[in-house]
Amino acid sequence: MSYNQTDTPDGTWIGWFVNLQVNRFLCRVPQEYIEDKFNLTGLELLVPSFHQTLDAILDLEFDTEYGFNPMDADPELTAQLYGLIHARYILSMRGIDDMCFKYQRGDFGICPRIYCDGQLVLPVGLSDNIGESHVKVYCPRCRDVYQPHARCALLDGAMFGTSFPHMFFMQLPHLLPEPPIQKYTPRIHGFKLHKTAMVPPERSEPDINNANSTDSVNNNNSNTNISSSKSVPLIPMVSPPAVKVTQSSSPTIGPPMHRFNFTIN
């Protein structure tokens, strides 16, 4: 495998860049791959100052102490262009071989899930566009994604792309593990929880019926008709019977009470 000779910096910008601890997930893209214009088709539209940045990547005498001259190249654009080239290279047969060496060596870490039993993971991007998300790691056993090592967590996900781990196992199917058999089961004092106990309670909704009833009463008083599909029938407002106040009756509701006259002898 060609990757075995890339652990030692060789004075080139690529050798220096891929040997940084924060770039541990990256493999070395061969210079002949980068020099092939066919492999770079379309990248000139994605990176400003494309040709100047490409020359910086291919620099064979990079000054590791002082870095780039600001007049020569932008370090951020150089890293972005190399990352986009890297995402294409690792989908090639040679690139998959290089990443397989790093995978089996454990450079990408292991799955944090307990029942995946230390399964090795691969880097993956959640987007193919630079600047949208950081790199994640994909576990082929539980088929989920997780945060990578803190030292490599700031790499752009587009440096690996969304297709890499799946293309990797399509080319190397013998490395694809079986799904996990064990699964965590919630228990209290040794007893399994019923599935309904794990369902969150429904949110309490405001009493729409009462609100509609109040609104209807208020609107009836102002001679306004409001119809609501959820409102309950209202109790009709019945006026009390009119009471006629006379000398022989008292102003009370119901049958009038007669007054009795008493004569004092």
Side-chain angles (χ1 to χ4, degrees):
M1 295 183 182
S2 59
Y3 185 80
N4 294 342
Q5 300 177 358
T6 64
D7 289 338
T8 303
D10 54 2
T12 64
W13 179 86
I14 297 177
W16 168 80
F17 186 70
V18 299
N19 278 279
L20 296 175
Q21 280 295 321
V22 294
N23 297 332
R24 186 176 176 85
F25 282 6
L26 298 173
C27 71
R28 179 167 186 164
V29 181
Q31 187 162 340
E32 58 270 22
Y33 182 91
I34 300 176
E35 291 175 343
D36 188 339
K37 295 182 179 180
F38 176 78
N39 297 327
L40 311 183
T41 302
L43 295 183
E44 66 276 4
L45 303 176
L46 303 178
V47 179
S49 306
F50 173 78
H51 296 288
Q52 185 178 2
T53 305
L54 183 61
D55 291 340
I57 291 177
L58 297 175
D59 188 1
L60 299 178
E61 297 179 358
F62 177 70
D63 191 338
T64 58
E65 183 176 356
Y66 296 100
F68 286 126
N69 184 337
M71 300 298 295
D72 295 337
D74 184 339
E76 184 176 353
L77 292 179
T78 307
Q80 289 181 2
L81 179 57
Y82 182 80
L84 293 174
I85 297 173
H86 180 271
R88 294 185 176 188
Y89 172 70
I90 60 177
L91 295 180
S92 66
M93 289 303 301
R94 185 175 177 182
I96 288 177
D97 286 342
D98 288 350
M99 293 296 277
C100 181
F101 177 81
K102 293 173 66 64
Y103 169 75
Q104 293 179 323
R105 194 171 63 178
D107 287 0
F108 308 126
I110 61 175
C111 179
R113 187 174 181 273
I114 297 299
Y115 293 115
C116 284
D117 196 22
Q119 172 62 47
L120 296 172
V121 296
L122 284 171
V124 65
L126 301 183
S127 173
D128 292 315
N129 300 321
I130 285 286
E132 292 190 357
S133 67
H134 293 120
V135 67
K136 302 294 183 288
V137 289
Y138 170 79
C139 174
R141 186 180 294 273
C142 64
R143 300 178 183 179
D144 209 341
V145 294
Y146 303 92
Q147 289 290 349
H149 296 153
R151 63 175 179 268
C152 299
L154 295 181
L155 279 174
D156 199 298
M159 292 183 170
F160 304 91
T162 58
S163 304
F164 166 64
H166 318 299
M167 181 68 74
F168 180 90
F169 288 110
M170 286 182 65
Q171 297 297 324
L172 303 172
H174 62 282
L175 296 179
L176 187 64
E178 293 292 332
I181 299 176
Q182 290 180 292
K183 183 179 180 181
Y184 176 73
T185 303
R187 298 174 184 270
I188 293 182
H189 299 305
F191 296 96
K192 295 182 181 180
L193 295 181
H194 192 271
K195 60 181 181 180
T196 57
M198 306 302 294
V199 178
E202 296 181 359
R203 294 183 178 180
S204 59
E205 297 181 355
D207 194 346
I208 300 177
N209 293 336
N210 291 340
N212 290 339
S213 300
T214 304
D215 293 342
S216 299
V217 172
N218 293 335
N219 291 333
N220 286 336
N221 292 336
S222 60
N223 297 325
T224 303
N225 295 326
I226 296 179
S227 61
S228 174
S229 60
K230 296 183 179 180
S231 61
V232 297
L234 299 178
I235 300 175
M237 302 295 293
V238 180
S239 301
V243 178
K244 185 177 181 180
V245 180
T246 62
Q247 293 182 353
S248 61
S249 63
S250 59
T252 57
I253 301 175
M257 296 178 62
H258 295 284
R259 299 179 63 182
F260 297 92
N261 297 325
F262 296 92
T263 303
I264 300 175
N265 296 326

